[in-house]
Every structure is written in C-alpha cells, then in structure tokens.
Amino acid sequence: MSRTQTWLITGASSGFGQSIGIAALNAGQRVVGATRDVVMAKHCNPEFAAKGGMWTRLDPGHPESLAHFAKAQEEFDVDVLVNCAGYAFIGGVEDTSEQEIRHQMEVNFYGPIRAIKAVLPAMRRKKRGHIVLISSGAGFIARPGRGVYSASKYAIEAIHESLMHETHSLGIKTLIVEPGAFRTAFSTRLVTPAAHESTGGYSEAYRGTKLEAMLQMMHGKDGVPPENLAKGDPDKAAKAIVDAVLGGHEYLRLILGPDCVKAMEDKIGEFQRDLELTREVSMGTDVVAMKA
Ligand SMILES: NC(=O)c1ccc[n+]([C@@H]2O[C@H](COP(=O)([O-])OP(=O)(O)OC[C@H]3O[C@@H](n4cnc5c(N)ncnc54)[C@H](OP(=O)(O)O)[C@@H]3O)[C@@H](O)[C@H]2O)c1
C-alpha cells in the first residue's frame, strides 16, 4: 500500500487535468487542482470536491505565477506536480506574430518551469518527489501549422528530460506523457493567427497547401466537430498516468494512444533513414576522420 501523496495539477478544471485529479483521488491521494477560475472549476467539476479535492487559483501563464506556485507549495507541500495546463496555437510560421509565439511559450513553456522551480527545493530536502509533464506527440513531431505549438512542447520536454538527469539521484522522478488525440475541450480552444481570421488562420499564399488542409482538419471534418474526431479516452489516459506514478516506472516517456504510437514509429523511421543517409559524411568530420 503506497503512502498518500499530495498532487498539484495545473489546468485541472477540464480534460486531462480533471481526469487525472479524479483518478488520483480514486487512488486515495490528496489532490489540489490549480485553475484560473475556481468558481467555474467548482461548477464544472462537482465530483472533484465531493471526493475531497481542493481548488487553488493559479494561472501558470501569468508572468508572476512563480510567487503563486511558491505560495501553493507552502500551503500544500507538493509531492507530485502535474504540469498539465496548456493550449495549442495552430498557424503557419509566416502567418504567426511574435506576440502570438510569446504567449504560447508563456503558457506551455514558462508556466511549467515556474511550477518546477517552486516545488523543487522542498522535494530535494525530502529526497522524494515526482514531476509529470503532459506534453504531446507534438513534442516529438512537428506537423504543418503546429510549428509554434510543437516548439513549446519540444522545449518544455527538453527541460523535463534535463531535469530527470539532474534530479534522479536526488530522489526526484520525472515522467513525460505524450498523448495522441484525446476527447477533451482542447481542440475547441485552438488559437489561430489573429491577422488571418477570415480564412480560419492562414494567408492566401498558403491556399491549397498542407497548411490549409491541416487548419481545415483542426476545425473539424464533414460537419464532425474536432473533439469527436479524437479517439482517445482521457479517463483511461489518466488512470495510466496515475498507475505509472504510484506503481513506479523505468521509462521517461509514456506515449498514449495508438495514433501516437504509429506517428512516433514513423518519425523514428524517418530519423533513422536520415542518420543512414548522412552517416558517411557525419563520421568524416573529426579532426582525424573516423571510418563510417
Ligand atoms: N486533448 C488532446 O488531444 C491533447 C493531445 C496531446 C496533448 N494535450 C495536452 O494536454 C494538456 C491538457 O489539455 P486538455 O486536452 O486537457 O485540454 P483542456 O480541456 O482545454 O484543458 C487544458 C487546461 O489548460 C488550462 N489552459 C488553457 N489555456 C490556458 C491559457 N491560455 N493560460 C493558462 N492556462 C490555460 C485550462 O485550465 P484552467 O481553465 O483550469 O485554468 C484548461 O482547462 C495540454 O497541455 C495539451 O497540450 C492534449
């Protein structure tokens, strides 16, 4: 029987955050849900409080949120941090403003870093703790229209991967979760380039390209809303995540969903092909050249 641990979950009012909260409560854990709007969260998720979950107001994307995370750490003494809050900016590289890129990074990249900085000192002192990132298949694969979203997820994965190396010997575990498409409100909250609202997010130059096709797909297909196109069940994902944290895991990355497994295999194959195609030139660049 494992010890009751305190979980702090960002973006806990809906989707993965909500499901992970309920799954952790069902497993006998103490859970604090961080949300930007406590009133709304309570209203949308009465089961959470009924099972003993607590809410705290926190916006990870706010530049001052480090102080808010530190306050939450002081109040609750976090054992398991789940960096879950996030949204996807979908648009072409050329069509996206620097301000839009900065906001994506503020929420998906700086937010989780602020949370980590707030909980790490106490975790180091206790010589135990768990940091979980809800990343995405987009943390390994950059599709058209997803350059900015992928950049935020690649970057925050790098932070968590590095953190794993830095803190494993101090008793702190790290888990990066890479889900495929799951049925949450996520795809209804996509943000697209404001300057190209009239087309749904792309400039005329990209009509008829893969970027237009991706944006149309992200907005839904044949009258089917985008969230219904996703096959993943967030409750099943949440159970897998809670089981991994409580049961122990020997891996850094947990890939969720058959769509994501297939996409990962394809990308690894492309990576391997590039490695083979460039092996000879790669091996010849040392001062004293090595044989391929
Ligand atoms: N659903 C998928 O298919 C999918 C696939 C791969 C990865 N993901 C990742 O899973 C995580 C959770 O997403 P979800 O699918 O559960 O979607 P969701 O239902 O929209 O939940 C995301 C939560 O993040 C918070 N959030 C959203 N926009 C924010 C902003 N601008 N600033 C601060 N917080 C914001 C919100 O929490 P509060 O309102 O409670 O503050 C929101 O409830 C995200 O990091 C996403 O990248 C989702």
Side-chain angles (χ1 to χ4, degrees):
M1 192 64 186
S2 57
R3 197 179 54 84
T4 299
Q5 301 184 69
T6 299
W7 295 50
L8 178 69
I9 305 169
T10 66
S13 70
S14 73
F16 283 122
Q18 175 174 350
S19 295
I20 295 167
I22 297 293
L25 288 167
N26 287 342
Q29 303 295 291
R30 182 174 180 250
V31 181
V32 182
T35 178
R36 290 166 299 169
D37 187 340
V38 172
V39 174
M40 182 68 85
K42 278 184 179 163
H43 176 74
C44 296
N45 189 7
E47 190 188 355
F48 181 74
K51 286 180 183 284
M54 293 167 280
W55 290 109
T56 189
R57 204 188 79 75
L58 226 161
D59 178 358
H62 192 285
E64 303 294 320
S65 68
L66 173 58
H68 304 152
F69 276 115
K71 199 166 159 275
Q73 165 59 32
E74 214 179 286
E75 191 176 346
F76 301 109
D77 191 15
V78 178
D79 298 301
V80 183
L81 167 69
V82 184
N83 275 322
C84 183
Y87 76 95
F89 182 92
I90 305 295
V93 174
E94 191 182 341
D95 294 338
T96 303
S97 73
E98 199 170 312
Q99 195 188 354
E100 287 166 329
I101 298 171
R102 281 185 196 284
H103 190 262
Q104 177 77 103
M105 295 305 280
E106 204 65 69
V107 176
N108 291 11
F109 178 70
Y110 289 107
I113 293 177
R114 294 179 190 118
I116 289 168
K117 279 179 167 283
V119 300
L120 259 189
M123 286 185 178
R124 275 193 293 97
R125 279 195 296 277
K126 291 185 283 186
K127 296 191 173 50
R128 60 179 159 75
H130 220 122
I131 299 198
V132 180
L133 169 69
I134 309 302
S135 178
S136 168
F140 188 61
I141 301 158
R143 296 205 163 112
R146 300 206 198 182
V148 173
Y149 176 57
S150 278
S152 72
K153 294 293 192 184
Y154 275 46
I156 196 59
E157 282 208 14
I159 293 288
H160 284 74
E161 185 172 328
S162 195
L163 190 73
M164 182 271 289
H165 292 298
E166 290 168 6
T167 61
H168 188 261
S169 64
L170 305 177
I172 297 156
K173 290 185 177 163
T174 309
L175 179 66
I176 297 173
V177 183
E178 292 181 331
F182 277 71
R183 256 174 228 190
T184 69
F186 182 69
S187 50
T188 65
R189 294 172 170 164
L190 302 176
V191 180
T192 54
H196 303 288
E197 222 179 280
S198 59
T199 57
Y202 56 91
S203 55
E204 276 307 319
Y206 288 89
R207 196 173 285 286
T209 67
K210 284 182 178 177
L211 174 59
E212 183 194 21
M214 174 59 82
L215 274 153
Q216 282 181 351
M217 201 263 283
M218 300 298 293
H219 290 306
K221 215 174 167 187
D222 304 328
V224 183
E227 66 274 26
N228 291 356
L229 292 171
K231 295 197 174 122
D233 178 343
D235 291 340
K236 289 186 180 169
K239 177 148 184 353
I241 294 163
V242 172
D243 285 352
V245 170
L246 297 181
H249 52 91
E250 298 302 318
Y251 45 82
L252 172 63
R253 286 183 171 80
L254 171 61
I255 287 115
L256 293 175
D259 57 340
C260 202
V261 171
K262 166 83 175 65
M264 292 287 177
E265 284 171 346
D266 290 349
K267 169 92 185 232
I268 292 166
E270 284 166 24
F271 211 92
Q272 190 67 41
R273 262 191 307 281
D274 284 357
L275 205 61
E276 294 314 324
L277 286 170
T278 57
R279 183 180 292 276
E280 202 173 328
V281 68
S282 303
M283 298 302 276
T285 53
D286 272 0
V287 175
V288 178
M290 292 185 71
K291 274 197 177 151

